Amino acid sequence: MKKMVLCLLLVSCLVWNGAAQAADEMDPKKQAELMEKIKKLEQQITELTALKLKKQSIPAKREQCMKVVGVESYCTCVVEKLPASVDYRQFVQVLLTPAKELGYDAMSTEQKKDLDLALVAWAKCVDYKGPKGAGFIDGIMNRDTLF
């Protein structure tokens, strides 16, 4: 994983350096193509960094979950589906706190996405004994509180 990130970073640096030197010599079409390649490389680096962060956080989340719940299959499922920025303690808080109290409406798009993904992780992993009629997931996503 580290080697891939370093390789992409090195390639990005080389491309960026070449772009800076050749910018005056290239026509606008080639400049645009080069800039697009640079953006794609930067996006790949960002995605690899996020993946690395998520992989590093899984053991800590798993330990938190096992201390509280102690059900291996559930903990494995949840920690693999949670966003990297949400630990198990935050996950439980999201589940038990009404959206209004969390300040969901005032959150950034990224924060909302993380909370929504946490609720989806819960819905996919838990053996919920309550009613699961039509629109079950929609009901969770549009809830004031889960319970």
Side-chain angles (χ1 to χ4, degrees):
M1 180 67 76
K2 286 183 180 180
K3 289 181 182 180
M4 265 194 339
V5 171
L6 289 175
C7 286
L8 283 174
L9 188 58
L10 180 61
V11 169
S12 180
C13 289
L14 291 174
V15 169
W16 183 254
N17 188 29
Q21 291 176 353
D24 293 333
E25 301 169 12
M26 283 190 194
D27 64 63
K29 184 178 177 182
K30 287 184 180 181
Q31 285 180 350
E33 289 173 2
L34 186 57
M35 291 306 292
E36 185 63 31
K37 287 179 183 179
I38 291 170
K39 286 179 184 177
K40 286 180 182 179
L41 284 171
E42 289 173 345
Q43 179 64 30
Q44 288 175 337
I45 290 170
T46 302
E47 290 170 1
L48 283 172
T49 304
L51 180 62
K52 181 180 177 183
L53 175 65
K54 184 171 182 166
K55 295 245 183 227
Q56 288 174 341
S57 69
I58 286 177
K61 290 179 190 180
R62 182 172 169 67
E63 183 179 333
Q64 289 175 329
C65 181
M66 288 299 290
K67 283 181 181 177
V68 175
V69 180
V71 178
E72 192 171 335
S73 60
Y74 165 78
C75 290
T76 299
C77 181
V78 166
V79 300
E80 288 177 355
K81 291 179 178 16
L82 281 178
S85 63
V86 178
D87 68 13
Y88 192 76
R89 181 179 299 172
Q90 293 166 326
F91 171 69
V92 171
Q93 181 181 4
V94 167
L95 292 177
L96 299 177
T97 307
K100 208 174 222 180
E101 286 180 35
L102 285 174
Y104 184 84
D105 291 335
M107 290 181 181
S108 70
T109 304
E110 189 66 28
Q111 290 171 319
K112 286 180 180 181
K113 180 181 174 187
D114 286 346
L115 292 185
D116 293 345
L117 289 173
L119 291 174
V120 169
W122 176 84
K124 288 182 176 182
C125 298
V126 75
D127 185 16
Y128 182 61
K129 302 297 184 195
K132 292 184 184 177
F136 175 68
I137 296 295
D138 291 335
I140 291 171
M141 298 305 287
N142 296 315
R143 97 295 187 232
D144 278 335
T145 183
L146 287 173
F147 305 104

